[in-house]
Amino acid sequence: MTPLTPATLAARTSDDPSASAPAPSDANPSAPTPPTPPTPPAPTPPVSSEDERLRRWRLVLGGGDADGTGRVLSGTDAAVDGALTALYGRNPDDRDRDRDGAGRGRTAGLGASAPSVARWLGDIRTYFPAPVVQVVQRDAIDRLGLAALLLEPETLAAVEPDVHLVGTLLSLREAMPETTRETARAVVRKVVADLEERLAARTRATLTGALDRSARTRRPRHGDTDWDRTIRANLKNYLPEHRTVVPERLVGHGRASRAVRKEVVLCVDQSGSMAASVVHAAVFAAVLASLRTVATRLLVFDTAVVDLTDRLGDPVDVLFGTRLGGGTDINRALAHCQAGITRPADTVVVLISDLYEGGVRGEAAKRVAAMRAAGTRVVALLALSDEGTPAYDRDHAAALAALGVPAFACTPDLFPEIMAAALEERPLPIPAD
């Protein structure tokens, strides 16, 4: 995948037909128009033409005396260049120097005015698709200190919602004025709704199937018979003369039951580096809680542990009950999980953490060993996000692997399969490195 940089952001606009479209004519519509023979459309100039190459290089280099192109931008190109210059046209270390006049070079920026930032956010949403907008927003938060400006309702309303923005808003929750909190909540709710639409149906279908399969019986009713498994189990009884299999035993599923068959405990690290994982975990916890045959608990922790199980009816309430940042005490969190387990053999504990332990090292592994000895299935996820390979404590991960608990990162799309395998006590479909 090509990384998104100022150069590639600018180059992507080269295919925008609006950048070079001619202005409409002001001809008098009432004047007669003589018939003209049809003419073939003018050929599109090749993208490798000298003029197009200069245009692309000008957008990549950002202008100034040193770019060497001599190209002057106009129209959409000039607007795109201005939006990118506001963010990428200076070193982030120049912010303080710009305030006292000591900065040099290109000093364009977003300024301190929230309405100005809101207009800039509107510009980048006009010129770039949503995935690119989200990358630019994250860069703006890092390079220009935009986090403080997200406390303004005008700015917040203009931002393209995504998981990373939700993490930023949750970390700023305590500092938000009342006028901003409702807007922030609406942004978080939109992101959560998008995630639920993408993930909920598949999660319910996958886990419901896993729970049904875990209730297999050898004396099923006719409608509950799994004929594929029954035939495979009785192939030794094949009668060639009759070209049929005589089933000595049937394999099928038990009738769906409203009783709770499995218990799932999600134990989520809410340190600042786990923000995206917290958002996804809240959505999945709410989906799991909607299944009648699964009892779901959600614990979030830093150096303290908070039980958010009573808020699982609304994942937005779950997220606003978290407190991103702070230290990490994994052993204390696992102790809370262990204390609430009443049916160890029917319980799956999912620890979502980068495993950087701020408490007593080694105690968490002992806690995991004790739970496994009691029959509890433990799953360790280093991250629950689409962000790629996470940073994590490799020594702690190795200690868990030695106990038969491999630690690995998991994307939201893979999580239903991971949970289905854990509930059925199958080997986990661990993604390849």
Side-chain angles (χ1 to χ4, degrees):
M1 180 180 293
T2 303
L4 291 171
T5 65
T8 56
L9 291 174
R12 285 192 179 188
T13 65
S14 63
D15 298 326
D16 184 359
S18 65
S20 57
S25 171
D26 293 331
N28 183 358
S30 63
T33 304
T36 56
T39 57
T44 302
V47 296
S48 59
S49 68
E50 184 65 20
D51 187 63
E52 179 65 13
R53 288 178 62 230
L54 287 176
R55 171 179 172 268
R56 286 172 174 264
W57 275 112
R58 169 60 184 81
L59 285 168
V60 168
L61 295 172
D65 297 336
D67 72 9
T69 65
R71 176 68 183 255
V72 177
L73 299 178
S74 61
T76 301
D77 285 348
V80 170
D81 185 63
L84 294 176
T85 298
L87 176 58
Y88 299 107
R90 59 177 179 175
N91 190 306
D93 296 334
D94 290 339
R95 283 182 311 204
D96 296 332
R97 292 188 293 155
D98 288 343
R99 293 188 185 117
D100 60 15
R104 295 292 183 268
R106 300 169 72 185
T107 58
L110 301 182
S113 167
S116 174
V117 176
R119 285 193 296 272
W120 178 80
L121 290 169
D123 287 344
I124 65 171
R125 293 176 71 180
T126 299
Y127 303 132
F128 302 111
V132 177
V133 171
Q134 293 168 6
V135 172
V136 174
Q137 286 177 175
R138 292 200 292 274
D139 286 348
I141 291 171
D142 294 336
R143 295 171 65 92
L144 300 176
L146 188 57
L149 293 176
L150 289 178
L151 302 181
E152 299 292 338
E154 297 88 350
T155 306
L156 192 53
V159 171
E160 182 73 24
D162 71 341
V163 170
H164 303 279
L165 178 61
V166 170
T168 300
L169 293 177
L170 295 178
S171 66
L172 296 171
R173 186 182 71 250
E174 299 300 328
M176 279 185 186
E178 289 296 331
T179 54
T180 305
R181 290 191 179 184
E182 284 306 312
T183 307
R185 202 172 180 87
V187 170
V188 173
R189 188 169 294 283
K190 182 180 186 306
V191 174
V192 167
D194 290 344
L195 289 174
E196 284 186 310
E197 182 178 0
R198 178 165 70 93
L199 302 170
R202 179 165 173 254
T203 301
R204 291 191 182 98
T206 302
L207 297 187
T208 299
L211 291 166
D212 288 344
R213 287 190 295 271
S214 68
R216 291 192 183 100
T217 176
R218 294 190 177 183
R219 301 184 68 180
R221 301 180 185 184
H222 178 78
D224 298 329
T225 302
D226 186 335
W227 292 109
D228 183 61
R229 294 179 62 87
T230 296
I231 291 171
R232 279 185 287 154
N234 291 277
L235 285 176
K236 63 180 180 180
N237 300 321
Y238 178 69
L239 301 178
E241 63 274 18
H242 296 288
R243 302 179 65 183
T244 189
V245 172
V246 178
E248 289 186 347
R249 64 186 181 90
L250 300 176
V251 179
H253 310 305
R255 286 285 180 173
S257 171
R258 293 176 179 265
V260 172
R261 292 202 294 267
K262 295 289 185 178
E263 297 182 7
V264 174
V265 183
L266 296 178
C267 187
V268 186
D269 185 343
Q270 63 176 349
S271 57
S273 60
M274 301 294 294
S277 298
V278 171
V279 176
H280 288 112
V283 173
F284 279 119
V287 173
L288 288 169
S290 69
L291 301 177
R292 294 180 178 178
T293 53
V294 177
T296 305
R297 294 171 59 204
L298 174 64
L299 305 176
V300 296
F301 68 93
D302 41 36
T303 53
V305 184
V306 179
D307 191 333
L308 298 178
T309 304
D310 60 346
R311 302 191 185 190
L312 289 180
D314 186 349
V316 176
D317 282 344
V318 170
L319 289 172
F320 276 89
T322 63
R323 184 183 62 188
L324 294 179
T328 307
D329 192 336
I330 301 174
N331 178 55
R332 173 176 290 187
L334 291 177
H336 275 262
C337 295
Q338 188 179 26
I341 295 174
T342 57
R343 300 162 53 201
D346 295 321
T347 301
V348 177
V349 174
V350 182
L351 172 65
I352 304 175
S353 173
D354 54 17
L355 301 181
Y356 286 109
E357 176 65 279
V360 181
R361 291 190 65 85
E363 291 300 311
K366 294 179 182 178
R367 189 81 58 183
V368 170
M371 285 192 286
R372 281 181 53 78
T376 299
R377 186 83 184 264
V378 180
V379 178
L381 302 182
L382 302 171
L384 180 55
S385 71
D386 291 309
E387 296 180 321
T389 304
Y392 63 96
D393 188 318
R394 296 180 181 275
D395 291 338
H396 202 163
L400 292 180
L403 298 172
V405 182
F408 57 96
C410 175
T411 63
D413 288 333
L414 181 61
F415 185 75
E417 302 296 334
I418 296 292
M419 287 305 305
L423 291 171
E424 291 186 89
E425 301 182 5
R426 293 187 282 109
L428 301 179
I430 300 174
D433 292 336

